[in-house]
């Protein structure tokens, strides 16, 4: 069994197929995010983080599949770099972080209340994962597209200096910017 197959089996065992999400289930969403990151040329660690990005819950999706006190479980499953990105993504207080992220590089941790400053590689991975996640949601929920497309066009344009070029091009295509 490949690592990816093992992670997918773990997600199913932890109920990811049981939770509704735009486009079907949380499991289907996680798989699509990972697959899109692969198509866009992101590393295996980023793809794996995409597959598990909601394990600790997120600022926009409060369900958790694993308590963050058990981070070692996910780290053993996906590796330290992918797990660190999953934690960074899940802990990101979007309201306090997203607007100024390209300027400050600061991520407000909603779990601890602390400010983190990821290195350039982590920041790019966080931004790319965030964009791909939101693109999947708006593509599968027309109401979300109608409500948030303008916001995401503006936000993602501000992230152009810190995002991967392929991811920005995909966002422009989806959001018709």
């Amino acid at each position: 069994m490949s690592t990816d197959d093992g992670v997918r089996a773990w997600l199913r065992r932890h109920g990811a197929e049981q939770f509704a999400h735009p486009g079907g289930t949380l499991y289907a969403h996680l798989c699509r995010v990972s697959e899109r990151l692969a198509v866009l040329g992101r590393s295996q660690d980023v793809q794996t983080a995409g597959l598990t990005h909601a394990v600790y819950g997120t600022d926009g999706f409060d369900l958790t599949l694993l308590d963050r006190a058990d981070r070692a479980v996910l780290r053993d499953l996906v590796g330290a770099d992918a797990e660190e990105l999953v934690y960074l993504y899940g802990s990101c207080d979007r309201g306090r972080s997203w607007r100024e992220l390209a300027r400050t590089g600061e991520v407000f941790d909603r779990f601890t209340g602390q400010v983190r400053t990821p290195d350039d590689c982590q920041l790019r991975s966080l931004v790319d994962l965030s964009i791909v996640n939101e693109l999947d949601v708006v593509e599968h929920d027309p109401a979300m597209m109608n409500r948030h497309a303008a916001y995401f066009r503006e936000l993602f344009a501000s992230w152009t200096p810190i995002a991967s070029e392929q991811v920005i091009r995909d966002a422009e295509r989806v959001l018709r910017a």
Side-chain angles (χ1 to χ4, degrees):
M1 179 183 299
S2 74
T3 301
D4 190 60
D5 290 340
V7 173
R8 288 172 189 249
W10 185 92
L11 288 166
R12 288 190 302 274
R13 281 194 312 274
H14 284 80
E17 290 177 310
Q18 307 306 312
F19 302 104
H21 196 280
T25 66
L26 175 60
Y27 178 77
H29 166 70
L30 295 170
C31 292
R32 287 191 307 266
V33 168
S34 178
E35 291 159 7
R36 187 179 213 137
L37 287 164
V39 167
L40 294 171
R42 294 309 326 247
S43 72
Q44 185 62 52
D45 282 336
V46 176
Q47 293 170 45
T48 301
L51 186 58
T52 55
H53 71 268
V55 165
Y56 303 130
T58 73
D59 192 6
F61 194 73
D62 206 27
L63 174 85
T64 60
L65 300 178
L66 180 68
D67 189 291
R68 66 185 181 278
D70 297 322
R71 288 180 66 185
V73 171
L74 187 62
R75 193 175 307 117
D76 290 345
L77 182 66
V78 301
D81 290 342
E83 188 281 331
E84 181 61 29
L85 179 54
V86 171
Y87 180 86
L88 185 63
Y89 180 84
S91 70
C92 179
D93 180 328
R94 295 172 181 185
R96 296 180 67 197
S97 303
W98 275 13
R99 284 259 182 219
E100 298 297 319
L101 192 56
R103 187 180 64 75
T104 67
E106 294 179 341
V107 176
F108 290 85
D109 186 318
R110 68 188 182 100
F111 300 139
T112 67
Q114 297 178 338
V115 177
R116 299 180 62 188
T117 307
D119 66 31
D120 290 346
C121 182
Q122 288 174 316
L123 187 61
R124 173 162 286 177
S125 296
L126 172 65
V127 166
D128 286 353
L129 174 54
S130 298
I131 292 170
V132 167
N133 175 72
E134 298 303 334
L135 293 178
D136 185 73
V137 171
V138 300
E139 283 182 320
H140 290 89
D141 185 343
M144 288 286 288
M145 176 71 89
N146 292 336
R147 277 195 312 270
H148 300 293
Y151 166 74
F152 285 135
R153 277 193 294 273
E154 179 185 329
L155 179 67
F156 299 163
S158 79
W159 287 355
T160 298
I162 58 174
S164 297
E165 182 180 337
Q166 313 89 298
V167 173
I168 290 295
R169 279 197 315 262
D170 195 38
E172 290 169 348
R173 177 189 61 77
V174 170
L175 299 171
R176 296 167 191 79

